[in-house]
Amino acid sequence: MTDENFLKTIVRNLIANALKVTQQIENPSVIWKAWQKENNTYLSISDNGNGNEQEKFSALYDDKKVIGIKSGLGFHLIRDLAKAINCNISVDSKVNIGTTFTLKFSES
């Protein structure tokens, strides 16, 4: 159980990011997955964009991370909404391969 609107906002933001980074990719791919394991529910969104270094995703984990005007607000929004619905977000990004965001919901 979670807040449907918060989850929709998180997912829309992640999908929009995935679509944006795959615009110039030959054979772009955005893959959605959902599964349950050990009383946890997982959702993941993967793309085959250019990927990035972990530092580029620090706003997802660091409340004190200063954001620029042009970018970064999306990750702050995702982080804050995820906290509000008790969801953990992890990111696995590999340069020139792609990025996967995984949302983990634990049963209470």
Side-chain angles (χ1 to χ4, degrees):
M1 300 295 294
T2 192
D3 185 287
E4 180 180 341
N5 292 316
F6 280 24
L7 181 57
K8 282 181 182 179
T9 301
I10 292 168
V11 170
R12 283 182 187 143
N13 190 293
L14 293 175
I15 290 172
N17 288 346
L19 293 173
K20 184 169 73 172
V21 300
T22 57
Q23 283 181 343
Q24 304 300 318
I25 301 295
E26 186 175 334
N27 300 316
S29 174
V30 176
I31 299 171
W32 242 85
K33 292 183 182 178
W35 68 97
Q36 290 187 312
K37 181 178 178 186
E38 298 174 2
N39 295 324
N40 298 308
T41 300
Y42 297 86
L43 300 173
S44 71
I45 299 169
S46 301
D47 66 65
N48 65 338
N50 290 326
N52 236 316
E53 295 86 25
Q54 272 317 110
E55 174 59 28
K56 297 290 183 178
F57 303 100
S58 62
L60 283 172
Y61 309 108
D62 186 355
D63 290 345
K64 294 175 179 50
K65 184 74 176 174
V66 176
I67 59 170
I69 294 171
K70 293 183 181 181
S71 64
L73 182 58
F75 288 147
H76 281 261
L77 177 66
I78 290 169
R79 180 198 65 221
D80 293 345
L81 291 176
K83 279 185 184 180
I85 60 174
N86 200 25
C87 169
N88 293 316
I89 299 180
S90 61
V91 61
D92 179 24
S93 188
K94 294 178 177 53
V95 175
N96 298 321
I97 294 175
T99 302
T100 298
F101 288 91
T102 303
L103 310 176
K104 176 183 175 187
F105 299 88
S106 300
E107 285 191 17
S108 300

